[in-house]
Amino acid sequence: MITLSHYLLISAALFSLGIMGVLTRKNAVNVLMGIELILNSANINLVAFSRYSSNGIDGQMFAIIVIVVAASEVAVALAMVLTMYRLLRTVNLDQADTLKPTCKVCATSIPN
Amino acid sequence: MSASDIIFLIVAVVTVGSAAIVVLSRSLIYSAFSLLFTFFGVAIIYVYLGADFLAGTQVLIYVGGILVLLLFGVMLTHRLYSLNLRTETFQVIPGFLIALAVFISLALVSTRTNWHVVADKPLVPTTDTIGTLFLTEYLLPFEIASILLLVALIGAAMLVRRRADI
Amino acid sequence: MQSLRYFYPELTLIVAMLLVVIADISFKRLRSVLNPLLTIVSLLLAAYFTAYINHSQEANLFLGMLALDSFAQFFKLFLLLAAFLVVLGSLQSEELSQVHQGEFFALLLAVTLGMLLMANSINLAILYLSLELVSLTSYIMVGYLKGDRLSNEASLKYILFGAISTGSMLYGFSLIYGMTGSLNLYTIRDAFLSQGVQGFDQFTTLLALVLALAGFGFKTALVPFHFWCPDVYAGAPTPVTAFLSVAPKAAGFGILVRFFFSGMTQTTGSEWGLVNGINWPLVLIGISVLTMTLGNVAALTQNNLKRMLAYSSIAQAGYILMGSVVLTGEGLKSMLIYLFVYLFMNLGAFLVVTIIYNSDKSFEIGDYNGMFKRSPFLAFAMGVFMLSLTGIPPFAGFLGKLYVFLAVIEKGLIWFAVVGTLNAALAAFYYMRVIKAMVLEEGNGNVAPLQVSFLNQALLVALLIPNLLLVFFWNPIDRWTASSARLFGGL
């Protein structure tokens, strides 16, 4: 018997893997893949709850909206990545750190 | 365990497994292609949940659009002979620990919470309902989504065009 | 369909955006005049419609997607005003003059539209969609200078961090959907209130709230979701930075208040009650303290003025958040007042930065030395803005801090107000540093007087007046924000 918990566990796994991908990857396109995993996990949650927790299909509508947003986000992100590649010849986030502060003790940018 | 349950189990393993490959693989191309399997797996899960239209949309847009874009991104930003990516080991451990902590909390949440449950519904085709909803209750998100797409179009086009002035 | 009557402001912006896009392709010679003109006219028209539409009856638009109330009206007017001021300030920016500006105005209109929708949203779907519309457009605006690697780097970091935060927020929303079966904030609140939250569900709800806070905190740059802020503020074109520091931040606070107060709190009656067992104010108190302190401490060591202002705006967000934890109408009102004065202080500071960059091409505080001799007007203006940000009377910033601290003290959280005051004192160090550089230090060699164009002069005066006079004419603001906060009762 497949219950709600099974779906939620799958999405929990995808979410955690997405988080790990985002935290450990240096290549910008790889980080984008991690972000897509996060969005997909949230979508699975929404559709599962739409089936088990609500009387309409609101969750599915929300999921469609999320897919649209994800597509636009990837388009813009890749445009930015391509621009970066044109300027720097690399998409390694480690090497794109010219915005570091002049002092050493300030809070730094996103962990890479 | 019925046949459909066994298939669900296989799909779940494939989805999570390929997601793991996306995150852990050292080669960018392997990551991209494992993402393909993840997206397909998610689409099949949608079918199990009765979201037939959504499953089709997932395949069309995620696999046919987003994944292709990601592959473009991979191909256009690398010299072809150096497609391998090495991640430094010391960073994988904290990332893995955080992800593990996140997974444990979410797993507990998934299984122990009293979700708001309603009576079991039969699985019906949803395309009709979705179409109607987008023109009635969800009209505003529908229109704003089109503005969002227009903005993404303008932005992406502006960023990658080469000539300084049109 | 009848909702369209109340949708005129947003419709104006949509039409204007489409017109700007078309004008940009069609009229090659007129477009540098036509685009800003269209933008400004549409913003004014939208503001007129917003003021004209009767917001006092609380209605739902589009079958429960948007709310039509005075709280929304405050934010809509605020955001339109912010966009208007930023458009004027961007007209003579050196950074933007080198790139094609047509899309800039279209994007600005789109982001304003998104923010207007954010201020209204009561359905999680439209909330997410409008938040993403704002975010996506901001990503593009930050990376607008595509030849500049700093701008591009800032934008990429913004995109990645933003996508992670909003993705986590989406996951949190899905958990809330699972617990209540609905996406409408009011239904969610009723579900929480009626069934209560027992046992393990409390952990789930808290987790969902923290995840949702990831998205809200990202938009308002609260700790620990602030990491993108210094880099993005430093790399983006200065008018865009100015815009980001006031408008999306305010919109983020709008949805934060709506989410927590309409979705999680019982606001009927004079005593506001928390849904059983979910002590979200405690979480917000912690975040507020962290945000204030980290922002102020980090700002002390910055030499780049834009980075310093970034940390300063992070700290200011901490002060604003203070008003939300006390669960009173006074607290909400104080948040709105602080936002209002913050608009003029921060935009003024960034305008001065833009003007000085136009001639000196530098953002370093060291290069501001001796500015008083070169342009006493600029130094005076910057002095007022810095003192206002510090919160010293008789400038408007003092008003904002006063209201927030009073609201907190009224509820008995005196230690919280003390922390705020200490932070303000700490902040004085870096604000004064700028004034000291401009007035007391010797110039570095460039002693030519700095000409400020007429438009910029007028704009500076327009921003200075509220800073100087609001302390004496605070009653109208008090009444306006009180009526806006009245939506949630308790006033």
Side-chain angles (χ1 to χ4, degrees), chain A residues 8-88:
Chain A
L8 297 182
L9 277 174
I10 295 178
S11 74
L14 282 180
F15 186 80
S16 327
L17 283 169
I19 293 282
M20 181 171 163
V22 152
L23 289 176
T24 58
R25 290 303 216 177
K26 290 190 194 303
N27 186 300
V29 185
N30 250 329
V31 175
L32 269 176
M33 294 182 195
I35 293 173
E36 290 308 317
L37 285 179
I38 294 178
L39 287 174
N40 268 295
S41 80
N43 259 0
I44 295 181
N45 259 3
L46 284 171
V47 179
F49 285 131
S50 158
R51 167 122 180 88
Y52 288 96
S53 291
S54 92
N55 280 318
I57 53 168
D58 288 319
Q60 293 185 25
M61 306 297 288
F62 200 172
I64 296 181
I65 294 174
V66 171
I67 292 181
V68 170
V69 170
S72 327
E73 215 161 50
V74 166
V76 172
L78 278 171
M80 214 51 83
V81 166
L82 279 175
T83 313
M84 174 171 152
Y85 186 69
R86 224 185 262 162
L87 290 172
L88 300 177

Side-chain angles (χ1 to χ4, degrees), chain A residues 80 96-99 109-110, chain C residues 132 153 155 157 161 231 307:
Chain A
M80 214 51 83
D97 243 341
T98 48
L99 282 171
S109 46
I110 50 172
Chain C
E132 284 291 356
E153 184 187 318
S155 178
K157 287 188 177 164
F161 200 85
D231 290 335
R307 279 193 97 85

Side-chain angles (χ1 to χ4, degrees), chain C residues 139-156:
Chain C
Y139 302 155
I140 303 172
M141 282 168 72
V142 166
Y144 202 76
L145 307 174
K146 50 188 182 171
D148 177 22
R149 63 181 284 179
L150 289 185
S151 171
N152 173 261
E153 184 187 318
S155 178
L156 198 60

Side-chain angles (χ1 to χ4, degrees), chain C residues 26 42 47 155 159 192 306 345 358 389 396 449 462-464 470 476 490:
Chain C
S26 325
S42 69
S155 178
I159 292 178
F192 273 131
K306 276 166 76 170
M345 305 192 279
N358 280 352
L389 280 167
L463 290 172
L464 276 172
L470 264 180

Side-chain angles (χ1 to χ4, degrees), chain C residues 22-35:
Chain C
I22 296 176
D24 202 47
I25 330 175
S26 325
F27 303 106
K28 293 248 186 301
R29 270 175 303 169
L30 278 180
R31 62 185 175 190
S32 59
V33 167
L34 203 56
N35 287 334

Side-chain angles (χ1 to χ4, degrees), chain C residues 340-353:
Chain C
F340 188 70
V341 301
Y342 171 71
L343 170 73
F344 296 107
M345 305 192 279
N346 229 31
L347 281 187
F350 275 112
L351 182 62
V352 175
V353 173

